Amino acid sequence: MLRSTSTKVLVNGRTGQRIYHARGLRQGDPLSPFLFVIVMEVLNALIIEADRQGQLTPLPGNAIRHRASIYADDLVLFLAPTALDCACIRQLLDLFAGASGLVTNVAKCTITPICCSAEEIQVVQQCFPGRLQDFPTKYLGTPLSLSRLKRQDEQAVVDGVAARIPTWKAGLLNAAGRATLTKTTLSAIPVHVAICCTLSAWAIAAIDKCRRAFIWAGSTMVTGGKCKVAWTVVCAPRDLGGLGQPDLRILGYALRLRWEWLRRTRPDSAWALLPATAEHCVAHMFNAATSIILGDGATARFWTDDWLPAGPICHWAPVVFASVPSRRRRRCVRDALANRQWMRDVSGATSATFITQFLRVWEMVDGTQLQQDVPDKLVWNLTTDGVYSSSSAYRAFFHGRVQMIGGSRALGDGRATKGQIFLLARSPQATLDSGEETTPWAASKRRLRAVFTGARNG
């Protein structure tokens, strides 16, 4: 199809000679990525077939559902460090190269060992002479590591923000223009990494230092005397009296909440079974912002999900929940209600408080009717359509802040103005009700439940 089509050009109302597309697609053509996906799917099918026939050593466990991860011309393969597996992959790559013309440059390939001995690494390099690189490594611009990222690994993100500071434009922009440029450019650079990695406090402070210096001084350095207001106020939403600059720490929490949402709504995803543990703040906010419409009870969790009118059992019966072993806290509602299995999960405690809460749990769950063939539905309580969005998650972390009178009026059309910056400089910092702390990411479970209650009532 790509070689048989032709084109005619109208010249002064008359069609010219026929132009045959004999060369097919070239680099830069909008159809090139689609053609590349079609071709690379052949290689993926070859790897799947070799794995199905037992030509490759089975990977341990069931967390890795696919051996190959392909994005454009980037290919990641998970193999056992044996000579047979490496030889099989070399044959598949040669077969694919002969059919498609896409030859693999082994010298540019990277071998990253995962818990491999020196002898196994030597065997792999003999069969597949690629470049050896330990963790952390990069894939699609994201650093991959077996542990927390070190400062030297995060330095590239900090340098990327510092390199984009247009100091030569500082003299042409006022503070409002620099604030807009900071929000759209400098604040967007670490988003890609923050989606899957937790930036350290040092990296966030270094990036905030660059953003703060450009907003107030138009340079890479700024002294405290030039900063008109506290940085926490600048990072507050505009209707709360801030300039709307993203708080990178809260933004990271809101972005990583998406993985918890997808883990529950798309359990068949390739990464869903990976042993990833959510941060405490992310897990608490997810529990506070979601609820379950009970169906067959196959996916709703009996102890931790909000499927009862009173809320999650772990919140209003903490003594009973503490007596449940951790391996049984993920039991679904259907299995827990079958023959009252949830009673067998509880053990150890016999105090008066425990008995009171146990009887309340019994009263609340007794008589629950499940709907067969109707799947449970996870609802995000912070949006009208019940679906997760990063903007609603980010806003939820500011729940409880006092709205500044006149903040929206000073905002005008949504852009930061001199009047708004002056208003920030003259207004006291918005605080939480009852004099509570101004760090929403360090909130307790009680305040996180207030987020859920406020979103439901609103």
Side-chain angles (χ1 to χ4, degrees):
M1 179 186 69
L2 299 175
R3 293 179 178 270
S4 60
T5 56
S6 61
T7 303
K8 289 185 178 181
V9 181
L10 290 175
V11 180
N12 296 329
R14 297 182 179 180
T15 57
Q17 297 181 354
R18 187 181 299 274
I19 302 174
Y20 293 95
H21 302 167
R23 293 189 178 183
L25 297 179
R26 287 192 275 182
Q27 186 176 4
D29 194 291
L31 290 178
S32 296
F34 298 98
L35 180 63
F36 204 92
V37 169
I38 294 174
V39 175
M40 292 301 291
E41 181 59 28
V42 177
L43 177 60
N44 187 36
L46 291 174
I47 297 174
I48 294 176
E49 182 63 20
D51 194 10
R52 188 185 66 84
Q53 294 184 3
Q55 301 296 325
L56 299 175
T57 304
L59 297 176
N62 58 351
I64 302 178
R65 295 180 176 178
H66 303 280
R67 284 185 177 270
S69 175
I70 304 175
Y71 184 85
D73 58 345
D74 289 328
L75 171 63
V76 173
L77 278 173
F78 294 94
L79 297 175
T82 62
L84 293 178
D85 283 30
C86 295
C88 180
I89 289 299
R90 286 296 300 270
Q91 292 178 3
L92 293 179
L93 293 177
D94 294 340
L95 178 62
F96 176 73
S100 64
L102 299 177
V103 182
T104 303
N105 190 346
V106 181
K108 292 184 178 180
C109 295
T110 302
I111 302 172
T112 303
I114 303 177
C115 300
C116 298
S117 62
E119 293 77 10
E120 292 173 336
I121 296 176
Q122 185 177 3
V123 170
V124 172
Q125 286 187 308
Q126 290 176 354
C127 302
F128 205 93
R131 179 168 53 90
L132 186 65
Q133 181 178 354
D134 294 328
F135 285 102
T137 183
K138 263 193 174 183
Y139 179 60
L140 301 180
T142 303
L144 303 180
S145 177
L146 300 177
S147 58
R148 292 183 63 88
L149 296 177
K150 301 178 180 179
R151 289 190 179 184
Q152 59 186 9
D153 305 324
E154 299 175 325
Q155 187 64 45
V157 181
V158 178
D159 294 342
V161 174
R164 292 298 299 272
I165 296 179
T167 53
W168 62 274
K169 289 184 179 180
L172 306 177
L173 298 173
N174 56 13
R178 293 195 296 270
T180 302
L181 187 60
T182 301
K183 181 178 180 179
T184 57
T185 303
L186 301 183
S187 302
I189 294 176
V191 168
H192 180 66
V193 177
I195 291 176
C196 55
C197 300
T198 303
L199 293 175
S200 65
W202 171 84
I204 294 177
I207 296 175
D208 287 345
K209 182 179 180 181
C210 297
R211 296 195 298 164
R212 182 169 55 247
F214 182 71
I215 289 177
W216 298 121
S219 61
T220 57
M221 299 293 293
V222 64
T223 58
K226 293 184 179 181
C227 299
K228 305 298 188 298
V229 292
W231 184 248
T232 54
V233 181
V234 175
C235 293
R238 292 191 293 264
D239 59 340
L240 297 181
L243 289 181
Q245 296 294 327
D247 189 311
L248 296 182
R249 186 179 179 86
I250 298 179
L251 180 61
Y253 289 148
L255 293 174
R256 290 188 292 276
L257 268 168
R258 177 180 177 83
W259 300 115
E260 298 305 308
W261 173 262
L262 294 178
R263 192 185 300 275
R264 298 292 300 275
T265 56
R266 299 180 185 177
D268 56 342
S269 300
W271 51 268
L273 296 180
L274 294 177
T277 304
E279 303 155 89
H280 290 291
C281 188
V282 173
H284 293 332
M285 178 58 76
F286 180 80
N287 293 334
T290 56
S291 60
I292 295 288
I293 299 179
L294 195 63
D296 56 4
T299 58
R301 297 173 181 174
F302 181 84
W303 296 105
T304 58
D305 280 347
D306 183 11
W307 62 279
L308 289 172
I313 297 177
C314 59
H315 287 174
W316 49 267
V319 178
V320 176
F321 178 73
S323 63
V324 179
S326 58
R327 66 180 182 276
R328 298 178 182 176
R329 293 179 179 180
R330 292 180 174 269
R331 189 184 296 277
C332 66
V333 175
R334 183 182 60 187
D335 296 341
L337 294 180
N339 299 323
R340 293 175 177 169
Q341 183 63 38
W342 65 271
M343 293 185 178
R344 299 181 180 90
D345 294 343
V346 180
S347 61
T350 57
S351 62
T353 304
F354 169 82
I355 296 175
T356 303
Q357 295 182 1
F358 182 85
L359 293 177
R360 187 186 177 192
V361 174
W362 193 347
E363 180 183 1
M364 292 290 294
V365 305
D366 195 28
T368 301
Q369 298 295 328
L370 301 180
Q371 306 178 44
Q372 299 298 329
D373 301 328
V374 178
D376 301 330
K377 183 180 179 181
L378 185 66
V379 179
W380 183 261
N381 300 307
L382 305 179
T383 55
T384 56
D385 57 356
V387 180
Y388 162 85
S389 68
S390 58
S391 59
S392 64
Y394 179 79
R395 180 72 186 189
F397 282 95
F398 292 92
H399 182 79
R401 290 282 187 95
V402 176
Q403 186 170 3
M404 189 182 69
I405 300 177
S408 300
R409 187 170 20 186
L411 175 63
D413 59 353
R415 294 174 296 179
T417 61
K418 289 183 178 180
Q420 186 189 15
I421 296 177
F422 174 78
L423 185 62
L424 281 172
R426 299 290 297 173
S427 301
Q429 180 179 354
T431 57
L432 293 175
D433 294 330
S434 304
E436 293 181 349
E437 57 180 338
T438 59
T439 54
W441 53 84
S444 62
K445 288 185 178 180
R446 178 179 58 81
R447 288 184 53 207
L448 289 173
R449 290 196 298 271
V451 175
F452 166 69
T453 304
R456 173 178 288 180
N457 296 337

